[in-house]
Amino acid sequence: MELINGSWFQPPTLLLTGIPGLEAVQIWISAPLCVMYLIALLGNSTILFIIKTTPSLHKPQYIFLSMLAATDVGLSLSTLPTVLNVFLLNHKEIEFHSCLTQMFFIHTFSSMESAILLAMAFDQFIAIRNPLHYTVVLTPPRITGMGLAAMVRGVVLIVPLPILLERLPFCKDVILSHCYCYHPDVMKLACGPIRVNIIYGLSLVLCSFGVDSMFIVISYILILKTVLGIASEDGKLKALNTCVSHIFTVCIFYVPLIVLALIHRFGTFTSPLLHVTMANLFLFLTPVLNPLVYSLKTKQIRSTVHKVLKIRKNLLK
């Protein structure tokens, strides 16, 4: 890094971090990480394939599930190169613009996932609150529009992040806290004024994740109110059971995200191990667990998977 004309140039490379204190065994940690990536990519791709090839699953709830699976595939592919480079090859360097590109995709897919979880909450709300108008409200064009809106919102909101970072000088240590590029983490390395970055980052979180989570909570308050009005206990349990998978998905997505955001903003004295743990939970929990949860809890998907495996088994005989 050189000082020319009174200003610092962008660092040619940044250094990613594995797990502090466990550098000697990182090669062994790469094995379960590879398994988790395999589960995430194979599981979500299987859900996409089954929904696409099974006409009986061409319904709103499964279309939203396919959107969620596609987003999880995108999120996994965004982080896979650097995570496996760090843990499998012990290669920790990443070029600055490559880092910005990875950061853009990670945050874009995260924003899209948040919007799709909101759409799925709306789907649950309509199905329980007003089932007779379900197909009238959630028409194919409307579902497509919701998916496109989630994608466009993610791209439009995230594009300014790398642009704002590009204009900053970097003269501090270029060691990141994670094995992937995360906006608050990269921003802290700058030695110029980052007030605009902080304000925009906070506004982005409030306008996307904050608004989405608020409407998800409102949806479930209205769902609960509707369920409590059902006369039979069996009807109540059946209605609540349809929401279990989505509630679990919302929790495993938002809890690590909120904790990670709080750590970066207020956790100056927290352990580096906590930073890495929450970052990895944010990376892996949703893409790995979503296909498992929905395959186990959704009878139609489970039976379709069983049929596909049975057919393939017969063909191999």
Side-chain angles (χ1 to χ4, degrees), residues 118-183:
L118 173 58
M120 294 175 78
F122 180 70
D123 170 76
Q124 298 280 3
F125 168 71
I126 297 297
I128 293 174
R129 184 90 169 184
N130 202 350
L132 295 177
H133 291 84
Y134 181 74
T135 55
V136 176
V137 175
L138 290 171
T139 59
R142 195 165 288 170
I143 294 169
T144 302
M146 293 168 74
L148 288 174
M151 183 174 64
V152 171
R153 188 196 72 167
V155 172
V156 170
L157 288 179
I158 304 303
V159 160
L161 289 183
I163 294 174
L164 289 172
L165 286 173
E166 180 77 31
R167 69 182 180 84
L168 293 173
F170 284 79
C171 53
K172 297 181 181 179
D173 293 335
V174 289
I175 302 175
L176 297 168
S177 304
H178 310 303
C179 50
Y180 61 91
C181 294
Y182 187 61
H183 175 254

Side-chain angles (χ1 to χ4, degrees), residues 127-129 131 222-242:
I128 293 174
R129 184 90 169 184
L222 295 174
I223 288 172
L224 185 60
K225 184 180 177 181
T226 303
V227 169
L228 292 176
I230 298 174
S232 67
E233 290 298 321
D234 287 343
K236 289 179 182 178
L237 290 175
K238 185 177 179 180
L240 288 174
N241 189 52
T242 61

Side-chain angles (χ1 to χ4, degrees), residues 104-118:
F104 168 78
F105 282 110
I106 289 174
H107 286 280
T108 297
F109 283 119
S110 298
S111 176
M112 288 171 57
E113 183 140 350
S114 179
I116 292 168
L117 289 174
L118 173 58

